[in-house]
Amino acid sequence: MSFAIRSIAGPLPLAIAHRGGALLAAENTAGAFEQARAVGAEMIETDVRLSADGALVCLHDADLQRIAGDPRLVAEIELADLRAILPGLLTLDEAVAASVPLGLLLDIKLTDPSVLPHILDVVAAAGASERVLLGLRSLDLIATARVLSSEITILALVSDPESFEQAKTLGADWFRFWQGEATAERITAARSLGLRTVVMVGQPRSAAEPGYPPFPVGRINARRIDRVLSLAPDAVMLDDPRLLLSARAVTALSSN
């Protein structure tokens, strides 16, 4: 049975495998998706960008420097050439298929609202609307997506941790807090509006910022995952979902 975003059942917080499970296999690849499913993650997160010829591709960075030593922008390279450089590259439709039956969080790295109909069409054509969480990085994009679809579930990936009320008003269903900004008060306030909450672990920037845990994005240790669990979010996004799943199991045993 496929995961359904709007009717979550089972233990919380959900384990979301960041970049498909970047500590399990090569990020944003079918191999990572398979490993995330095998270890018990409930959802997979992947990133969406556009190639030079308009293909929706699952790549986190704007360029290929970090993952392939190529300084060119993804938006400057056609799909066939991207595949030659990165044989494990997934297009959006391939990622939707490879993620079955798990939930799928799409982190849309694009700011042009004109791409949203194409993304929504791919999701709808695959019959995946019920298990896709559409992650959008601006309030304007949230408003546009909600006009385009009343069915898709929207996650606000906006930078201001106090903007959850605006996000809800514009049509968001979920709200992301970075680990360093996640507090019980904020999570409770967001939930009182009817929002589900996600905590993203690690640093929000490549250069460390004060007040955040000393780990890069997606990384966390066992001690800090316990603190995140104590905040009672609906989901946690991390590179290795096993950390959350183990902590969740311990918490469940201790409460019985």
Side-chain angles (χ1 to χ4, degrees), residues 34 36 111 137 152-153 160-161 178 186 205 234:
E34 177 58 35
T111 58
R137 293 181 165 267
I152 200 71
T153 306
D160 181 1
W178 282 94
R186 281 175 171 159
R205 303 286 182 269
D234 295 287

Side-chain angles (χ1 to χ4, degrees), residues 160-184:
D160 181 1
E162 297 292 344
S163 62
F164 47 84
E165 186 169 357
Q166 290 173 280
K168 175 64 177 178
T169 299
L170 293 171
D173 307 285
W174 289 63
F175 194 89
R176 185 275 314 275
F177 293 103
W178 282 94
Q179 183 183 350
E181 298 168 340
T183 64

Side-chain angles (χ1 to χ4, degrees), residues 89-126:
L89 176 72
L90 294 173
T91 59
L92 176 58
D93 56 329
E94 290 168 344
V96 172
S99 64
V100 174
L102 304 184
L104 180 62
L105 164 54
L106 301 176
D107 183 346
I108 309 303
K109 300 295 189 184
L110 308 163
T111 58
D112 184 349
S114 67
V115 75
L116 291 176
H118 187 187
I119 293 170
L120 291 169
D121 285 348
V122 170
V123 171

Side-chain angles (χ1 to χ4, degrees), residues 1 4 21 48 92 94 116 139 147 165 171 215 233 249:
M1 181 179 294
V48 179
L92 176 58
E94 290 168 344
L116 291 176
L139 295 173
V147 169
E165 186 169 357
F215 298 103

Side-chain angles (χ1 to χ4, degrees), residues 61 63-72 77 85-86:
D61 297 359
D63 60 50
L64 300 183
Q65 183 63 51
R66 178 178 61 87
I67 59 173
D70 188 326
R72 288 180 296 169
I77 309 172
I85 299 165
L86 300 168

Side-chain angles (χ1 to χ4, degrees), residues 4-234:
I5 292 288
R6 292 189 182 274
S7 57
I8 293 172
L12 295 177
L14 302 174
I16 304 179
H18 179 238
R19 299 184 196 172
L23 280 177
L24 304 175
E27 67 180 53
N28 289 325
T29 63
F33 287 20
E34 177 58 35
Q35 288 301 309
R37 180 166 47 244
V39 302
E42 285 90 10
M43 295 185 68
I44 289 167
E45 182 266 352
T46 194
D47 306 282
V48 179
R49 292 189 178 275
L50 274 176
S51 69
D53 49 347
L56 293 165
V57 293
C58 297
L59 288 167
H60 178 272
D61 297 359
D63 60 50
L64 300 183
Q65 183 63 51
R66 178 178 61 87
I67 59 173
D70 188 326
R72 288 180 296 169
L73 296 174
V74 174
E76 298 172 342
I77 309 172
E78 294 192 352
L79 176 60
D81 293 329
L82 285 170
R83 287 198 188 278
I85 299 165
L86 300 168
L89 176 72
L90 294 173
T91 59
L92 176 58
D93 56 329
E94 290 168 344
V96 172
S99 64
V100 174
L102 304 184
L104 180 62
L105 164 54
L106 301 176
D107 183 346
I108 309 303
K109 300 295 189 184
L110 308 163
T111 58
D112 184 349
S114 67
V115 75
L116 291 176
H118 187 187
I119 293 170
L120 291 169
D121 285 348
V122 170
V123 171
S129 297
E130 289 190 355
R131 63 182 184 87
V132 163
L133 186 55
L134 187 68
L136 300 172
R137 293 181 165 267
S138 77
L139 295 173
D140 288 344
L141 283 176
I142 290 169
T144 299
R146 183 51 72 217
V147 169
L148 290 170
S149 173
S150 61
E151 297 181 357
I152 200 71
T153 306
I154 297 173
L155 166 64
L157 294 171
V158 294
S159 58
D160 181 1
E162 297 292 344
S163 62
F164 47 84
E165 186 169 357
Q166 290 173 280
K168 175 64 177 178
T169 299
L170 293 171
D173 307 285
W174 289 63
F175 194 89
R176 185 275 314 275
F177 293 103
W178 282 94
Q179 183 183 350
E181 298 168 340
T183 64
E185 292 76 16
R186 281 175 171 159
I187 288 174
T188 298
R191 185 171 287 124
S192 73
L193 298 173
L195 287 165
R196 297 271 193 173
T197 57
V198 178
V199 172
M200 176 72 240
V201 305
Q203 285 275 346
R205 303 286 182 269
S206 56
E209 294 188 6
Y212 282 84
F215 298 103
V217 59
R219 310 294 176 92
I220 194 169
N221 62 16
R223 180 170 63 84
R224 285 182 170 85
I225 198 68
D226 287 339
R227 179 189 175 274
V228 172
L229 273 172
S230 73
L231 299 174
D234 295 287

